[in-house]
């Protein structure tokens, strides 16, 4: 553990790579020789232009995006995307498919319905407390898009592979697992991710959109709610969240230069998740709450034999330098969020703590 630092298992805002925090610290008062902080420079300056362009280029490289796609930075979090997607892409006479795998999917569905859009919930795991990812889903061939949540931050489930939509553009909320593993972009029409889980600080949401979908955006929408505004102005129609985008740029650089890309990142993430699931699987004291096949590599959800023990576990973990292990308030239990930036060392320390806790209380 680094001096004055603890092991951070928060779900979001979440841990950032230590190397990134150090780089921010070093350049904070004098960014790139400008004599100004990154929080003080103009978004119209060459300095910031380089930041945002580098962030876009690195995203394209890491995700293997070709020129069919545009990378945008939007404020309003992933939650605004729940509204912007149907607003921009789903029109009179159109329908879209949604898969409901938890609270975030439910919210995405609600925001489309609020606008009076026609959508079909083609599959849901609500029948079993959102503990699994539905299989063999039949999508409507005439849907304008099919929406999924790739990783369910609260329930601890994750799509092991992406569904075959039969050519319907897939839209995924990847807020809590973007850049955690490689995937094939071809089936996707749009991907969005709030930065504060796996990519940076709060305040910016990355949107990757296939250019042909931009043609669906109605002129009549307010400028700030149109994807075309962001794509035609390099995400700088108004003042963007400069510091958040700068941090995202550094995280992307860290992924490329320190980790070595997404194949390598996935390998590390699998190793990290395995360490924790091994403890859960080899004990009667800890019980995983997600079905084995649908388990998340990012959010490991589990329970102890009694609610009082969940509480004691979180309390004692806190006293021992582990933060963020309390499950989401809507589901209870415990949750360890182990995004890209969580080092293996933090997980090994948690594993030791869990084993000791079981010995004392099991
Ligand atoms: C956290 C989260 C959201 C909400 O993100 P905001 O940026 O707070 O709007 C949406 N979807 C998923 C999967 C999340 O984990």
């Amino acid at each position: 553990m680094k001096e004055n630092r603890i092991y951070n298992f928060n779900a979001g805002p979440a841990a950032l790579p230590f190397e990134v925090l150090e780089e921010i610290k070093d350049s904070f008062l004098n960014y790139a020789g400008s004599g100004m902080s990154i929080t003080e420079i103009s978004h119209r300056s060459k300095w910031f232009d380089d930041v945002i362009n580098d962030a876009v280029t690195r995203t394209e490289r890491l995700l293997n995006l070709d020129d069919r796609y545009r990378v945008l930075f939007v404020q309003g979090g992933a939650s605004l995307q729940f509204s912007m997607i149907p607003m921009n892409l789903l029109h009179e006479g159109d329908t879209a498919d949604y898969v409901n795998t938890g609270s975030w999917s439910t919210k995405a569905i609600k925001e489309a319905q609020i606008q009076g859009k026609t959508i079909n919930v083609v599959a849901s795991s609500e029948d079993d407390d959102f503990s699994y990812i539905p299989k063999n889903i039949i999508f409507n061939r005439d849907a304008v898009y099919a929406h999924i949540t790739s990783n369910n931050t609260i329930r601890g489930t994750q799509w092991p592979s992406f569904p075959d939509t039969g050519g319907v553009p897939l839209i995924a909320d990847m807020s809590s697992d973007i850049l955690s593993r490689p995937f094939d972009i071809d089936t996707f029409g749009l991907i969005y991710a709030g930065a504060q889980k796996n990519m940076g600080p709060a305040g910016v949401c990355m949107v990757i959109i296939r250019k042909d979908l931009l043609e669906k955006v109605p002129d009549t929408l307010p400028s700030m709610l149109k994807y075309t505004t962001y794509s035609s102005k390099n995400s700088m129609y108004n003042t963007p969240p400069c510091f958040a985008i700068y941090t995202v740029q550094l995280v992307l650089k860290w992924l490329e230069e320190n980790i070595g890309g997404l194949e390598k990142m996935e390998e590390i993430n699998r190793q990290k998740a395995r360490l924790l699931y091994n403890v859960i699987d080899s004990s009667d004291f800890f019980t995983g709450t997600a079905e084995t096949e649908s388990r998340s590599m990012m959010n490991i959800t589990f329970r102890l034999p009694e609610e009082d023990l969940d509480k004691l576990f979180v309390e004692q973990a806190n006293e021992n330098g582990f933060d963020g292990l309390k499950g989401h308030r809507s589901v209870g239990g415990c949750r360890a969020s182990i995004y890209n930036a969580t080092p293996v060392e933090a997980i090994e320390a948690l594993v030791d703590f869990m084993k000791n806790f079981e010995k004392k209380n099991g």
Side-chain angles (χ1 to χ4, degrees):
M1 206 187 302
K2 302 272 191 316
E3 206 187 337
N4 296 329
R5 301 271 301 164
I6 58 153
Y7 295 122
N8 183 355
F9 292 96
N10 276 292
L16 285 166
F18 191 73
E19 294 87 343
V20 166
L21 296 175
E22 277 188 318
E23 188 166 348
I24 292 171
K25 184 176 161 226
D26 288 345
S27 65
F28 196 72
L29 291 180
N30 185 354
Y31 175 71
S34 66
M36 297 176 276
S37 167
I38 185 74
T39 56
E40 298 175 305
I41 62 174
S42 167
H43 63 293
R44 306 287 177 209
S45 65
K46 166 89 170 64
W47 291 295
F48 191 71
D49 238 11
D50 289 348
V51 166
I52 198 163
N53 290 336
D54 188 58
V56 169
T57 307
R58 287 184 188 278
T59 304
E60 290 168 348
R61 255 198 319 260
L62 280 160
L63 293 176
N64 262 318
L65 306 180
D66 52 48
D67 61 7
R68 285 173 301 165
Y69 293 89
R70 292 277 295 158
V71 178
L72 313 175
F73 294 100
V74 183
Q75 296 190 55
S79 298
L80 183 62
Q81 294 311 306
F82 298 161
S83 312
M84 270 179 79
I85 289 162
M87 198 181 284
N88 280 265
L89 307 180
L90 191 56
H91 307 308
E92 187 88 41
D94 290 343
T95 68
D97 287 352
Y98 279 73
V99 180
N100 191 1
T101 51
S103 323
W104 297 117
S105 314
T106 304
K107 286 189 172 161
I109 290 164
K110 180 180 140 205
E111 292 300 320
Q113 287 170 336
I114 281 177
Q115 298 176 54
K117 307 286 183 179
T118 312
I119 61 150
N120 296 302
V121 179
V122 288
S124 167
S125 51
E126 196 169 6
D127 58 354
D128 196 8
D129 226 9
F130 295 117
S131 61
Y132 68 100
I133 300 292
K135 277 196 247 181
N136 307 319
I137 303 166
I138 315 275
F139 291 92
N140 293 299
R141 290 291 155 128
D142 55 354
V144 171
Y145 62 78
H147 182 282
I148 62 167
T149 312
S150 61
N151 182 72
N152 299 281
T153 326
I154 294 174
R155 300 289 175 165
T157 61
Q158 183 176 28
W159 289 76
S161 60
F162 293 114
D164 180 3
T165 56
V168 174
L170 195 57
I171 292 189
D173 176 357
M174 291 198 185
S175 291
S176 49
D177 70 347
I178 193 164
L179 301 167
S180 67
R181 55 179 176 175
F183 61 89
D184 184 2
I185 190 73
D186 272 346
T187 48
F188 288 91
L190 190 150
I191 289 165
Y192 61 104
Q196 72 274 20
K197 271 115 189 189
N198 213 12
M199 211 166 28
V204 72
C205 182
M206 184 185 275
V207 176
I208 299 166
I209 186 167
R210 216 174 62 199
K211 280 183 197 160
D212 60 293
L213 293 178
L214 292 170
E215 284 156 27
K216 291 183 160 296
V217 177
D219 286 337
T220 50
L221 288 181
S223 305
M224 286 299 288
L225 297 175
K226 285 200 282 212
Y227 289 125
T228 42
T229 303
Y230 295 83
S231 83
S232 65
K233 301 287 184 193
N234 199 22
S235 303
M236 290 190 285
Y237 167 75
N238 75 326
T239 318
C242 300
F243 181 70
I245 294 171
Y246 167 62
T247 308
V248 169
Q249 181 217 359
L250 294 184
V251 171
L252 296 165
K253 184 162 81 120
W254 172 84
L255 268 170
E256 288 198 292
E257 293 175 7
N258 295 51
I259 298 297
L262 297 194
E263 273 88 11
K264 196 73 213 214
M265 193 70 253
E266 176 174 23
E267 217 177 277
I268 298 169
N269 284 332
R270 285 203 182 283
Q271 181 202 351
K272 284 166 17 186
R274 202 177 307 123
L275 284 172
L276 280 175
Y277 285 127
N278 279 348
V279 177
I280 291 168
D281 289 344
S282 61
S283 128
D284 296 325
F285 186 70
F286 298 105
T287 313
T289 55
E291 271 190 16
T292 311
E293 280 176 52
S294 305
R295 281 170 167 178
S296 169
M297 276 198 298
M298 302 273 99
N299 310 96
I300 283 71
T301 49
F302 56 95
R303 284 180 190 292
L304 282 68
E306 292 159 30
E307 256 176 60
D308 283 351
L309 281 172
D310 288 340
K311 241 171 124 182
L312 189 69
F313 176 80
V314 172
E315 232 172 73
Q316 293 193 356
N318 253 317
E319 286 161 14
N320 285 276
F322 302 90
D323 196 57
L325 290 167
K326 193 167 184 278
H328 190 269
R329 60 189 184 281
S330 63
V331 299
C334 302
R335 170 177 58 173
S337 296
I338 52 168
Y339 302 117
N340 288 352
T342 308
V344 176
E345 173 211 345
I347 313 227
E348 287 169 344
L350 179 59
V351 163
D352 281 345
F353 175 78
M354 287 170 76
K355 287 181 175 164
N356 280 328
F357 189 88
E358 177 176 358
K359 251 186 232 143
K360 274 187 232 141
N361 300 282

